[in-house]
Amino acid sequence: MPGKRAWPVPRGPRRGNAPGLPDYWAADTLAELGASVHLAHPLGVKAFEYRRVKNDERDAKDLADLLRMGRLPEAWIAPPAVRELRELVRHRAKLVRVRSLCKAEIHAVLAKCGVQITMNDLFGVAGRELLDQTVLPAPYRARIESLRRVMDALEFEIELFAGLARVRLVADPGYTALQTIPGIGQVLAAVFVAEIGDVHRFTGPDKLASWCGLTPTHRESDTHVHRGRITKQGSRLVRWAAVESVQILPKTTLVGAMRDRVADRRGHNIGVVAAARKQVGFVYYALRDHHVRALQPNHHTKASAA
């Protein structure tokens, strides 16, 4: 209104600039003090955003009401042993991403100098010999050599953290059972064990696939049903491991045959995602039962006879 002066509202520091807090520190502290800790899932309580008044006091009351009625969407609080294993696995994955970035930069430097690469693996034995023999201006040569030294250091760190994870999992029966699944080796098995944690919190393989974000979105109204892309709401590392494990499976395997069969009808990407979802089902049974009956040879013989 005319004659009124708008006074500035004091605001604190932006939340995005606030220092990050250690994960689970509050839950551990409350548990040590004897409190019963419940971790609310952010996607489940997102419906409170419709309120006109939204503050910490109202949020706390709503969460308490949901907990009292038994309708609080809770997330799993991982125990300390699982968190420590996740630190090792996730750090190794980040180191691998940094190494891939260094490889991409080397390709970019060679492209700037007009050098065409005719081999598939530039960083193998033959590729390293080619890099040594390639004549480049001094600044570009210095940059490539610097990236190669960084990659050598990353190789040591990657193997170190992979070894630390193997030491922790050497006596885990689920880790051993996972490596019997075609396409899953020591690295991917460690990812599944660390990220999934206690598999008994899932009632079935479909629940685990939904948690990984490999199930399609579902929109239904009356008789109209629409299924879209996969949700991707879940562990990105588990989703990557599942997709990576089925990429180069031969056609003779159960999952490889399914991937090619779906790919012939609906495309390569959809076939890979469907195979990854099937692979997650095998992962579920390997972690729960420590063996996958569907992959045993006598299982298919009995099923065909029946």
Side-chain angles (χ1 to χ4, degrees), residues 79-90 160-176 179 186 189-191 193-194:
V82 176
R83 295 181 227 161
E84 294 174 0
L85 181 60
R86 285 179 176 178
E87 287 295 319
L88 299 176
V89 172
R90 291 175 181 178
L160 174 63
F161 278 85
L164 292 175
R166 282 195 299 268
V167 169
R168 285 177 173 265
L169 294 171
V170 65
D172 192 318
Y175 175 71
T176 304
Q179 297 180 52
Q186 294 180 348
V191 171
V193 174

Side-chain angles (χ1 to χ4, degrees), residues 5 31 61 160 173 183 205 259 270 284 293:
R5 181 176 179 181
K61 290 181 179 179
L160 174 63
R259 176 201 59 203
I270 296 179
Y284 173 82
R293 187 174 59 180

Side-chain angles (χ1 to χ4, degrees), residues 128-202:
R128 291 178 178 272
E129 294 179 356
L130 177 63
L131 288 176
D132 294 335
Q133 299 172 2
T134 303
V135 179
L136 298 173
Y140 300 99
R141 168 58 62 181
R143 185 179 177 187
I144 287 182
E145 294 302 324
S146 174
L147 290 170
R148 293 177 67 180
R149 289 192 297 270
V150 172
M151 288 175 55
D152 292 337
L154 288 173
E155 288 286 352
F156 173 79
E157 297 295 333
I158 290 172
E159 292 299 325
L160 174 63
F161 278 85
L164 292 175
R166 282 195 299 268
V167 169
R168 285 177 173 265
L169 294 171
V170 65
D172 192 318
Y175 175 71
T176 304
L178 282 172
Q179 297 180 52
T180 62
I181 302 175
I184 298 180
Q186 294 180 348
V187 174
L188 298 184
V191 171
F192 285 123
V193 174
E195 293 297 322
I196 295 174
D198 184 13
V199 75
H200 296 90
R201 58 196 175 103
F202 301 102

Side-chain angles (χ1 to χ4, degrees), residues 181-240:
I181 302 175
I184 298 180
Q186 294 180 348
V187 174
L188 298 184
V191 171
F192 285 123
V193 174
E195 293 297 322
I196 295 174
D198 184 13
V199 75
H200 296 90
R201 58 196 175 103
F202 301 102
T203 57
D206 54 340
K207 301 295 184 181
L208 178 58
S210 177
W211 177 82
C212 297
L214 288 171
T215 53
T217 56
H218 185 90
R219 301 289 185 269
E220 183 175 351
S221 178
D222 194 19
T223 58
H224 300 280
V225 179
H226 174 73
R227 290 180 178 268
R229 300 176 180 271
I230 58 175
T231 61
K232 294 187 178 180
Q233 293 179 354
S235 174
R236 181 182 301 178
L237 198 55
V238 171
R239 195 162 54 250
W240 165 83

Side-chain angles (χ1 to χ4, degrees), residues 104-115:
E105 292 207 11
I106 290 178
H107 281 281
V109 172
L110 294 176
K112 287 181 181 179
C113 300
V115 178

